[in-house]
Amino acid sequence: MFSNDFLEKITRFIMTHKKHILFLLLSVITISISSNALAFPAFKWGSPDVAIDLGTQNTLIALCENEETKIMANFPSFIAFRRDTLEVMCVGEEAKEMYGKTPPYILALRPMQDGVIKDFEGAGIMLHHVFKQAKEYSRGLFRGPRMIVGVPCSVTDPEERAIREAAFQNGAREVHVVMEPMAAAIGADLPIEQARGSMVVDIGGGTTDIVVISLKAPVVSRAIRMAGDAMDRAIVKYIHDNFSLNIGEQTAEKIKKEIGAAWLPEGTKGKSMEVSGSDIVKGEPRTITMTTLDIIKATNECIEKIINEIRAALNDTPVELASDIARDGILLVGGSALLEGMAKRIALSIGAGKDTIKITVPKNPMLAVVDGLGKIAANFEHYRESLFSKTMGSR
Ligand SMILES: Nc1ncnc2c1ncn2[C@@H]1O[C@H](COP(=O)(O)OP(=O)(O)OP(=O)(O)O)[C@@H](O)[C@H]1O
Ligand SMILES: [Mg+2]
């Protein structure tokens, strides 16, 4: 492509001016890095921010760039690794499929359950995997990404330290931890900066988090280890006690999603499905038919406990803020908000049977937290002072 003569000239030029060329290159790099620090977008050579929702059931990783939140990964919080070397074999859906079916040399587990760490080793490996992946997505040239991490209200100090350490070890430049319901409130544009009560109920897999926010800070915050997982276990128990059949929790979750409901309109029957399991006496496979009504009965106690907790949070709320909530309603997020009739059941129970309280469920309640984290990243300077000064539900 180039003649030998031309290449020779170029080489000679480089050799004679190598000091100048080096100086020029270093100047460009320095200007680029400092421009990035000043957030001058034309020179943004650093990494885009990363939002991470560390759910006990589902983990989401999103890139936040140019005010847009792009979900890069959304997977079940399951991991499978070799017991001897601790080498990660798979994470997410594949590991969830392996759960309960592995030979002794593999451990497939869900490190967090019911809002607490069930397996510390697994949780550590999982955290490192998530942050490593987050760093890879952010593809920065010179600086690691700023990571904004959503955690349940019930997170303990050692758990939070473990999260921060894992993020820094995997290349984060800054780590900011935000309470998940606070992120959901920001995502849904609730007027949290005003002297007005906003209530968020996040019914996830392991925990139900309830907060009342006013003037950028949680005024009331309650969390119970009662959410989707507890419903799955209740379905397993119901089928065991009423049909003498053993089924696994994953099967129970499938039944719940397919035919489950928290409430049925009068005069409707709901759906039904065939469920296979093993007979508790004979150990033989057997199939039964389950109906929506069965699921309502099975999960009734769990749902009542969640509703009681919402009532208790409202009782703890100062009266002026409670009247704001009575007028503006409740934001309901988390995967269990997708259970058929859940919003209606809460509205009927809290509204003393008159359906007076408005329950708003965003279009995709499972993305509410990550959407909010993305919004925080997009307006980071706006939230920096209030959000990360330990007043606004950050930790
Ligand atoms: N269509 C559906 N109907 C009923 N429940 C559903 C549906 N879709 C998801 N879920 C339930 O939502 C729960 C997961 O929700 P989510 O992803 O918000 O949890 P998480 O954020 O991982 O958990 P946590 O916030 O407790 O740490 C699971 O229990 C799942 O069974
Ligand atoms: Mg959650």
Side-chain angles (χ1 to χ4, degrees):
M1 197 171 150
F2 300 114
S3 69
N4 280 349
D5 189 34
F6 176 75
L7 289 175
E8 222 172 84
K9 271 186 193 161
I10 289 280
T11 318
R12 220 175 305 128
F13 180 83
I14 292 175
M15 293 314 285
T16 4
H17 295 93
K18 61 183 177 223
K19 273 190 190 159
H20 298 103
I21 293 172
L22 194 66
F23 176 74
L24 200 70
L25 268 175
L26 281 175
S27 308
V28 169
I29 291 171
T30 314
I31 290 169
S32 301
I33 293 175
S34 52
S35 305
N36 188 28
L38 296 170
F40 188 50
F43 288 99
K44 204 153 186 174
W45 281 28
S47 320
D49 295 343
V50 186
I52 301 163
D53 176 2
L54 283 177
T56 58
Q57 259 276 355
N58 294 295
T59 301
L60 286 93
I61 307 174
L63 276 188
C64 315
E65 213 171 6
N66 305 327
E67 311 224 336
E68 250 182 63
T69 304
K70 188 170 165 203
I71 293 174
M72 306 298 287
N74 180 355
F75 54 87
S77 309
F78 281 75
I79 187 163
F81 54 92
R82 290 184 65 108
R83 275 181 203 269
D84 50 357
T85 58
L86 302 185
E87 180 199 342
V88 176
M89 299 182 74
C90 54
V91 174
E93 206 61 61
E94 214 179 320
K96 189 176 180 182
E97 282 297 315
M98 285 185 177
Y99 186 65
K101 302 175 194 165
T102 50
Y105 80 97
I106 299 175
L107 195 58
L109 52 85
R110 205 179 128 195
M112 303 265 296
Q113 250 170 322
D114 299 327
V116 288
I117 297 180
K118 277 273 153 75
D119 184 297
F120 278 87
E121 201 163 55
I125 296 173
M126 179 93 186
L127 277 180
H128 279 279
H129 178 87
V130 169
F131 288 121
K132 191 163 154 242
Q133 213 173 336
K135 170 74 172 49
E136 277 165 19
Y137 289 137
S138 78
R139 66 184 189 276
L141 262 184
F142 295 111
R143 307 191 313 157
R146 173 159 59 208
M147 295 193 185
I148 303 180
V149 188
V151 295
C153 302
S154 55
V155 73
T156 60
D157 284 343
E159 283 166 3
E160 191 192 316
R161 256 198 313 280
I163 290 169
R164 285 182 190 278
E165 270 165 28
F168 282 125
Q169 278 169 18
N170 286 284
R173 167 179 104 241
E174 288 172 35
V175 184
H176 302 280
V177 173
V178 187
M179 261 167 55
E180 286 170 353
M182 186 63 76
I186 291 171
D189 287 327
L190 294 190
I192 56 162
E193 299 187 16
Q194 298 175 20
R196 196 162 133 192
S198 299
M199 186 178 222
V200 182
V201 177
D202 178 351
I203 315 178
T207 53
T208 294
D209 286 317
I210 305 163
V211 290
V212 175
I213 308 158
S214 174
L215 290 170
K216 306 177 197 171
V219 178
V220 176
S221 163
R222 294 182 78 101
I224 43 162
R225 290 176 184 154
M226 181 66 60
D229 293 343
M231 294 181 208
D232 301 342
R233 283 196 298 272
I235 294 169
V236 170
K237 185 171 184 309
Y238 179 90
I239 295 179
H240 176 276
D241 294 353
N242 293 279
F243 295 90
S244 306
L245 200 71
N246 275 330
I247 62 156
E249 283 176 29
Q250 298 213 41
T251 309
E253 188 190 12
K254 278 185 194 144
I255 305 169
K256 175 185 75 179
K257 287 184 182 174
E258 211 158 302
I259 62 163
W263 174 84
L264 266 184
E266 242 181 72
T268 51
K269 273 180 132 177
K271 304 175 197 152
S272 64
M273 76 182 273
E274 309 249 283
V275 175
S276 301
S278 68
D279 189 284
I280 59 171
V281 183
K282 297 182 193 148
E284 288 168 0
R286 187 155 58 83
T287 301
I288 56 163
T289 303
M290 286 286 287
T291 65
T292 302
L293 225 55
D294 285 315
I295 305 298
I296 292 179
K297 280 188 206 155
T299 56
N300 185 51
E301 207 181 313
C302 296
I303 294 173
E304 271 311 304
K305 281 189 180 152
I306 292 170
I307 290 172
N308 281 339
E309 204 63 20
I310 301 174
R311 279 199 197 100
L314 280 168
N315 278 338
D316 291 349
T317 304
V319 64
E320 294 292 351
L321 299 179
S323 56
D324 292 336
I325 296 165
R327 188 188 57 238
D328 299 340
I330 299 172
L331 176 72
L332 179 63
V333 299
S336 300
L338 289 169
L339 183 65
E340 195 72 37
M342 183 62 119
K344 185 76 178 172
R345 168 100 177 248
I346 296 173
L348 287 171
S349 315
I350 302 294
K354 287 191 239 108
D355 193 5
T356 49
I357 196 147
K358 184 173 89 182
I359 309 284
T360 306
V361 181
K363 202 163 155 213
N364 194 338
M366 288 175 95
L367 303 185
V369 169
V370 83
D371 281 348
L373 296 173
K375 210 174 254 181
I376 293 168
N379 302 287
F380 191 76
E381 290 313 317
H382 173 77
Y383 291 114
R384 181 195 283 278
E385 272 287 293
S386 48
L387 191 53
F388 304 116
S389 61
K390 296 223 169 207
T391 56
M392 197 181 161
S394 72
R395 293 178 55 104

